[in-house]
Amino acid sequence: MESRGVMGMSENSDDPRRRIIICRCNDVTLAEIEDLIGRGITDIEEIKRLTRIGMGPCQGRTCMPLVLGIIARKTGKSPEEIPVPATRIPVRPVMMGVLAGEMDDEE
C-alpha cells in the first residue's frame, strides 16, 4: 500500500527516486521534485514553498543547483533560463544570538 506525501504525491517505497535525497536539510527526495514538475509546477519559488528546499541551514547552497538542474532536464530549458529565488535579508539587523535562540530580541 502506498501513502501520500507532499501535496498528495504517492510515496511508493519501491520507487528508487525516493532514496535520492536532493535537500538534505529538509529530506526532500528526487521523486518529490520530479512529481511536482510532472504536475506542471516548474517555478522554483513555488517548489520552494511546497517542499521547503533552500530553507534549511545550508540556505540552498546544496539543493538549489540540484533542483535547477532537475527542472532544466525535465523542461528542456537551460539552467540559465530558470529564474532563481530572490534572497531576502531581514528588514532590520538581527543579532546572531537571537537567531541562535540564546538571547531575546530586546537585549
Side-chain angles (χ1 to χ4, degrees):
M1 176 152 98
E2 61 184 47
S3 59
R4 297 284 174 183
V6 176
M7 299 274 305
M9 293 181 292
S10 81
E11 289 186 353
N12 181 349
S13 59
D14 295 335
D15 185 347
R17 299 174 312 143
R18 295 258 168 242
R19 293 188 293 271
I20 300 172
I21 303 294
I22 299 300
C23 176
R24 292 179 289 187
C25 299
N26 291 309
D27 291 327
V28 179
T29 66
L30 174 61
E32 290 173 298
I33 301 296
E34 287 184 344
D35 288 349
L36 287 171
I37 295 168
R39 294 173 62 188
I41 301 169
T42 58
D43 176 51
I44 199 162
E45 283 281 0
E46 192 169 354
I47 292 173
K48 179 180 176 180
R49 287 185 192 100
L50 293 170
T51 63
R52 300 194 47 79
I53 57 163
M55 295 183 188
C58 85
Q59 291 295 291
R61 285 184 296 277
T62 303
C63 59
M64 281 299 171
L66 295 172
V67 173
L68 281 171
I70 295 165
I71 292 171
R73 178 174 47 84
K74 299 295 269 182
T75 62
K77 295 181 179 178
S78 72
E80 294 78 26
E81 294 177 88
I82 301 166
V84 294
T87 303
R88 294 176 182 91
I89 58 172
V91 175
R92 63 186 177 102
V94 178
M95 299 286 290
M96 292 302 290
V98 171
L99 296 174
E102 297 173 356
M103 59 191 293
D104 290 332
D105 192 24
E106 303 300 320
E107 292 180 22

